Amino acid sequence: MTIVVKHTATSVVTIERFIIEEERNHPEATGELSGILYDLALAAKMIANKVRSAGLADILGATENENVHGEVQQRLDVLANEIIIKAMDHGGRLCAMASEEEPGIIQIPDEFKCGKYCLMFDPLDGSSNIDVNVPVGTIFSVVRKITRGRHGELEDMLQPGRRQVAAGYVIYGSSTMMVYTTGQGVHGFTLDPSIGEFLLSHPNLRIPENGRYLSVNDSYEQLWDDSVKSIMRKYKGLDGDRRALSTRYVGSLVADFHRNLLGGGIFAYPSNKKTPKGKLRLLYEANPLSFIVEQAGGAASNGHQRILDVEPSELHQRTPLYIGSRSEVEIAQRAIAGQPELAVV
Ligand code: AHG
Ligand code: MN
Ligand code: MN
């Protein structure tokens, strides 16, 4: 008989206890996925500690290096990347990792046991905001290994987002929160720094049906095609057939996504003449947040199809992204692809 514990926001439940209780809903569970989530919560606390004191510990600013995307790496990008790799590489649950900050897949060192999962992550999202004290985040995605052999391979990473077994993000904002799903709803935990524990604060998160916010970088307007321009006019109520959404754009995907998840709305990073394939990365930005938003009753599309159905071909491939309240995403899908509904399997 599975124990289904219903928590409310007033129950004092640590993330570790919540993970164990969720695991009990899966009698076949081996505890490996739970172990990955524990270790990610630990890495999140360590990164939060660095982000919070970055201005004092002389770890702000850029390095002299560029990552595989040609973006200058911030020192906190590199630090967060190292923290996650060191926290995750020896637990024996992963067979490989992939990071926004690493060109290829990250193998598990021979001295450590390999497990049956792959972890893909954006160690620090919104890097351009670090030095100006605007919220940044971490995003992660977990899939099962599908290839034979001990070590993970590229093919294990290149699975469509609907194959994820867990996804989540951490937002280093006015408080540090970790939000994740394993396919049993979306749950938010707030770090209590006085005891160093993530405590359940947002059980069973659902995105509001109707949007309040529009998050888009309008500076690209001249680079959008006409269908994108028509979508933005609609979101802004300029066609007179609906109320205008309030524009809120932080420039950190995690911060914009989190506000819209709680308040309702749409985040849009359309393709444009400068980035025809979009800017955001499919495997460790769009896929994990799309798994979360669908689990919370929302939707995510590249304008033509459901993000979670996109078949990846490259580790760092980019995608246009419309993500948030279902009705808002369907407006974009209709305008771009002429499809009224978002197919969800
Ligand atoms: P990252 O810092 O991991 O490279 O991600 C930055 C992304 C995302 O966080 C944000 O939504 C987007 O870049 C902002 O892009 P623009 O500055 O072009 O609007
Ligand atoms: Mn990012
Ligand atoms: Mn990043």
Side-chain angles (χ1 to χ4, degrees):
M1 187 265 281
T2 50
I3 306 158
V4 180
V5 183
K6 276 282 164 240
H7 287 298
T8 63
T10 53
S11 329
V12 179
V13 180
T14 62
I15 192 167
E16 289 81 5
R17 184 172 143 209
F18 191 89
I19 292 168
I20 289 174
E21 283 167 2
E22 264 210 324
E23 184 189 311
R24 284 192 196 130
N25 297 342
H26 289 282
E28 75 287 356
T30 61
E32 283 190 55
L33 185 57
S34 297
I36 290 170
L37 292 168
Y38 293 153
D39 292 345
L40 285 166
L42 172 65
K45 292 180 208 173
M46 294 167 74
I47 296 170
N49 183 37
K50 294 294 177 200
V51 167
R52 301 242 169 264
S53 56
L56 303 171
D58 187 25
I59 47 176
L60 289 177
T63 67
E64 271 106 53
N65 314 319
E66 283 189 356
N67 61 18
V68 66
H69 316 277
E71 296 159 343
V72 173
Q73 285 182 315
Q74 300 301 308
R75 295 164 78 179
L76 266 174
D77 279 327
V78 175
L79 204 52
N81 188 51
E82 285 164 4
I83 286 172
I84 294 173
I85 293 171
K86 289 280 164 280
M88 304 306 296
D89 68 357
H90 57 283
R93 294 119 183 177
L94 298 176
C95 60
M97 292 183 257
S99 165
E100 178 188 81
E101 301 306 331
E102 302 283 344
I105 62 177
I106 304 157
Q107 287 301 350
I108 300 300
D110 285 336
E111 62 265 35
F112 300 138
K113 180 173 160 290
C114 278
K116 63 185 181 194
Y117 294 106
C118 295
L119 172 70
M120 295 169 276
F121 58 93
D122 175 358
L124 207 73
D125 172 67
S127 309
S128 59
N129 282 321
I130 294 168
D131 291 6
V132 292
N133 203 17
V134 166
V136 292
T138 297
I139 311 173
F140 63 88
S141 168
V142 183
V143 294
R144 241 184 227 92
K145 181 178 186 355
I146 52 173
T147 60
R148 305 172 66 77
R150 181 168 177 267
H151 285 285
E153 298 170 28
L154 184 58
E155 189 188 343
D156 293 308
M157 309 288 180
L158 300 183
Q159 298 183 59
R162 62 178 179 271
R163 304 284 295 276
Q164 293 175 93
V165 293
Y169 61 87
V170 185
I171 177 168
Y172 311 101
S174 46
S175 60
T176 299
M177 275 192 70
M178 181 160 160
V179 177
Y180 82 87
T181 183
T182 57
Q184 300 178 76
V186 178
H187 310 288
F189 300 80
T190 300
L191 181 65
D192 178 339
S194 65
I195 56 172
E197 290 283 2
F198 276 111
L199 301 180
L200 181 66
S201 54
H202 297 70
N204 301 304
L205 271 169
R206 302 291 292 173
I207 188 167
E209 262 304 302
N210 298 314
R212 271 180 64 196
Y213 302 113
L214 165 62
S215 302
V216 69
N217 185 337
D218 276 324
S219 69
Y220 300 125
E221 181 160 15
Q222 298 315 315
L223 301 173
W224 291 333
D225 66 26
D226 290 345
S227 61
V228 174
K229 286 178 183 167
S230 74
I231 295 167
M232 297 308 157
R233 283 184 53 82
K234 195 166 273 304
Y235 287 148
K236 293 175 181 175
L238 299 176
D239 292 347
D241 58 355
R242 60 160 288 162
R243 62 180 171 70
L245 297 177
S246 297
T247 299
R248 293 280 189 286
Y249 192 73
V250 172
S252 292
L253 171 59
V254 168
D256 284 316
F257 175 81
H258 183 72
R259 181 203 47 249
N260 295 357
L261 177 66
L262 270 58
I266 175 110
F267 172 96
Y269 204 111
S271 58
N272 64 50
K273 293 186 182 69
K274 198 173 87 169
T275 53
K277 292 188 176 164
K279 172 183 183 182
L280 299 172
R281 277 58 57 130
L282 176 65
L283 293 182
Y284 41 79
E285 289 177 315
N287 271 347
L289 298 186
S290 300
F291 185 17
I292 288 171
V293 84
E294 285 198 4
Q295 280 288 310
S301 168
N302 60 9
H304 297 278
Q305 70 179 117
R306 183 185 177 220
I307 288 285
L308 295 185
D309 287 337
V310 174
E311 291 290 341
S313 54
E314 291 162 34
L315 195 58
H316 298 290
Q317 81 182 58
R318 297 173 187 269
T319 177
L321 180 62
Y322 298 85
I323 187 168
S325 301
R326 174 170 289 279
S327 58
E328 307 297 356
V329 176
E330 284 173 351
I331 286 174
Q333 181 100 356
R334 206 178 351 262
I336 294 176
Q339 294 161 7
E341 297 303 318
L342 261 176
V344 178
V345 289

